[in-house]
Amino acid sequence: LFYKGGGAMRCGLIGRRLGHSYSCQIHHALADYSYELWELEPEELAGFLEKRDFAGINVTIPYKEQVIPYLDELSETARAIGAVNTVVNWNGRLVGDNTDLPGMLALIRRMRLTLAGKKVLILGTGGTSKTARAAAAQLHAAEIYRVSRCGKDGAITYPQAAAEHGDAACIINTTPCGMYPDVDACPVDLEDFPRLEGVVDAVYNPLRTDLVLNARRRGIAAEGGLYMLAAQAAYAGALFRGCTASQAEIDLAYHTVRRQMENIVLIGMPTSGKTTVGQLLSQRTGKTFMDTDAMVEQAVGMTIPAYFAAEGESAFRQREQEAVAAAAGAGGRVIATGGGAILREENLHALRRSGRLVFLDRSLDKLTAAADRPLSADTDALRRRYTERYDLYCAAADLRVDGDGTPEETAAQIEKEWTT
């Protein structure tokens, strides 16, 4: 429609490192234009833009500001923010826009946060922080402070934020702190901000950073950046096609990428079928299957009963925690956990970063005591474990499914409810 090269619209994403991008999946779900990933070194940027061999591109780190000198026109939004994430080729003229702003506004509104008259702290001073500042201003925040380690260019430092702005109502994180693979990092201690009403984190991998999980544990509304990613992509796709993005398209983009990124984590009693159901789910969804008990056995070079006998339960639980962290470290997986994995909060925390926990609720009379289950080797021990853990499984689960049917029936039920 706008592409001077003719033929099918050629669109894509430019950035320096794009290995973890989900943009292709999102845009292919939205429309039938071609969408590619173009990794560019800084010295390649000018030549790529001057060639103009595309209908539209998205722009990510580190080029959101660097592309501006090569553009013929900027939208009001892009000019106000000083950053571009979408470029459309209008018959040879490159027009820069910024769909990150409506994307962030869509996320904040989805969370039902009210910023009007409130104090907002924005962590970071890069391009996304400019978007966050514009969003907070558009939502009529009373005070907006940018926070950085050095406190330059009008920003305050993290110690200043904690000491002087503990009354902040909202924190928006625009730093990469907590992003995969550095998932254990958290930019601030939420104890310093007792009046928080909401936490918005632009990081979307993992789906829920420690900042988000810590906020939720305190009863604070908190979301990662996946919905913002999806919404900005829907808005950009509409610009490519010369139309307006609908809520249905935003929802489609969000559910498309969430289904691909999110782990399905199976919890439940020994012999409830987690491994068998997990393998079936892996086949049905295309996700990688991982079994934390099998990972432990591979790591220690012996069976779990043998390791229990040699080293004891405490040593096993530590090995299990390491296996859970490794399995949960990336998205797009089906993870079968050991029956006691839910006993450690560290395991639940790691699994929740990028997963939803599904409790296979199989009736006690359908479970089997087995010699290879050290803590449920006989019927009495199995009954005790069931009584001790049942409420813990229910409390940990995001979804509880009836596990009394066949593995095929259970897998089909989980897939149906998980994709809804």
Side-chain angles (χ1 to χ4, degrees):
L1 189 58
F2 318 121
Y3 175 38
K4 70 176 182 179
M9 284 177 55
R10 188 181 187 213
C11 302
L13 172 68
I14 65 169
R16 195 166 187 188
R17 300 289 181 267
L18 304 177
H20 296 289
S21 173
Y22 287 87
S23 293
C24 284
Q25 294 92 321
I26 295 174
H27 284 273
H28 290 160
L30 290 171
D32 60 359
Y33 49 75
S34 166
Y35 196 92
E36 306 170 50
L37 300 181
W38 291 301
E39 289 191 345
L40 303 177
E41 292 301 320
E43 62 272 16
E44 297 175 301
L45 180 65
F48 178 89
L49 292 170
E50 288 167 357
K51 191 176 180 181
R52 307 188 178 209
D53 188 19
F54 55 83
I57 54 171
N58 292 126
V59 184
T60 190
I61 297 171
Y63 301 131
K64 291 187 179 184
E65 297 176 18
Q66 286 89 327
V67 298
I68 292 177
Y70 302 98
L71 306 181
D72 300 297
E73 185 180 340
L74 294 180
S75 70
E76 292 183 11
T77 300
R79 187 178 298 106
I81 294 174
V84 165
N85 83 319
T86 303
V87 177
V88 177
N89 183 350
W90 287 87
N91 297 317
R93 286 179 54 80
L94 298 187
V95 181
D97 209 331
N98 189 304
T99 65
D100 284 337
L101 176 58
M104 181 166 284
L105 288 170
L107 171 59
I108 294 172
R109 286 169 177 147
R110 183 172 187 265
M111 294 173 64
R112 299 181 181 177
L113 289 182
T114 300
L115 302 189
K118 308 288 181 64
K119 178 183 288 189
V120 176
L121 299 181
I122 298 171
L123 311 184
T125 57
T128 307
S129 76
K130 297 178 180 179
T131 301
R133 187 170 189 169
Q138 190 164 322
L139 294 173
H140 308 293
E143 299 177 69
I144 305 170
Y145 297 90
R146 293 179 304 135
V147 186
S148 71
R149 285 175 293 183
C150 60
K152 293 182 179 178
D153 300 323
I156 61 174
T157 65
Y158 284 88
Q160 278 181 290
E164 302 171 14
H165 300 284
D167 59 340
C170 180
I171 288 177
I172 304 177
N173 177 46
T174 68
T175 77
C177 188
M179 182 185 295
Y180 179 83
D182 192 19
V183 295
D184 291 320
C186 189
V188 293
D189 185 347
L190 296 183
E191 293 287 346
D192 295 328
F193 306 96
R195 294 174 61 181
L196 271 182
E197 299 172 11
V199 170
V200 180
D201 197 337
V203 173
Y204 62 85
N205 185 12
L207 299 181
R208 291 165 283 274
T209 61
D210 277 11
L211 178 64
V212 168
L213 292 174
N214 292 345
R216 289 183 176 181
R217 194 177 297 117
R218 290 167 169 79
I220 300 166
E223 288 285 346
L226 189 68
Y227 195 81
M228 175 183 169
L229 171 74
Q232 67 81 21
Y235 287 121
L239 287 175
F240 296 161
R241 291 172 288 140
C243 61
T244 301
S246 67
Q247 185 62 49
E249 287 178 324
I250 294 172
D251 292 341
L252 173 62
Y254 172 68
H255 289 299
T256 295
V257 70
R258 181 186 64 77
R259 283 194 291 266
Q260 294 196 10
M261 289 185 65
E262 193 166 45
N263 293 329
I264 304 175
V265 181
L266 304 179
I267 63 174
M269 284 289 292
T271 72
S272 61
K274 299 186 296 292
T275 297
T276 303
V277 171
Q279 290 170 336
L280 290 169
L281 278 169
S282 174
Q283 295 169 13
R284 296 175 72 103
T285 64
K287 294 179 179 291
T288 301
F289 175 68
M290 306 191 78
D291 185 312
T292 60
D293 278 352
M295 293 170 68
V296 171
E297 290 185 337
Q298 183 176 12
V300 301
M302 63 180 77
T303 66
I304 288 175
Y307 192 73
F308 248 81
E311 303 293 340
E313 182 178 0
S314 179
F316 167 73
R317 293 300 176 201
Q318 184 57 40
R319 289 288 193 170
E320 180 178 59
Q321 183 174 327
E322 293 167 3
V324 166
R333 294 172 173 177
V334 177
I335 303 172
T337 63
I342 47 88
L343 298 176
R344 285 198 174 187
E345 179 59 35
E346 294 90 342
N347 292 339
L348 295 177
H349 188 86
L351 292 166
R352 285 173 175 146
R353 284 190 181 120
S354 286
R356 276 192 289 170
L357 278 60
V358 181
F359 173 28
L360 298 192
D361 188 3
R362 191 167 179 84
S363 301
L364 178 59
D365 62 0
K366 294 184 181 296
L367 300 174
T368 305
D372 64 347
R373 311 287 178 172
L375 298 180
S376 55
D378 57 59
T379 302
D380 288 340
L382 180 65
R383 184 179 294 108
R384 287 195 299 272
R385 297 293 90 76
Y386 184 87
T387 302
E388 292 167 358
R389 295 176 181 175
Y390 187 83
D391 288 344
L392 297 177
Y393 291 131
C394 291
D398 300 296
L399 173 65
R400 182 168 66 90
V401 299
D402 182 354
D404 285 350
T406 67
E408 291 78 10
E409 290 169 341
T410 305
Q413 181 184 354
I414 293 171
E415 184 184 25
K416 179 181 177 181
E417 300 212 25
W418 179 75
T419 56
T420 300

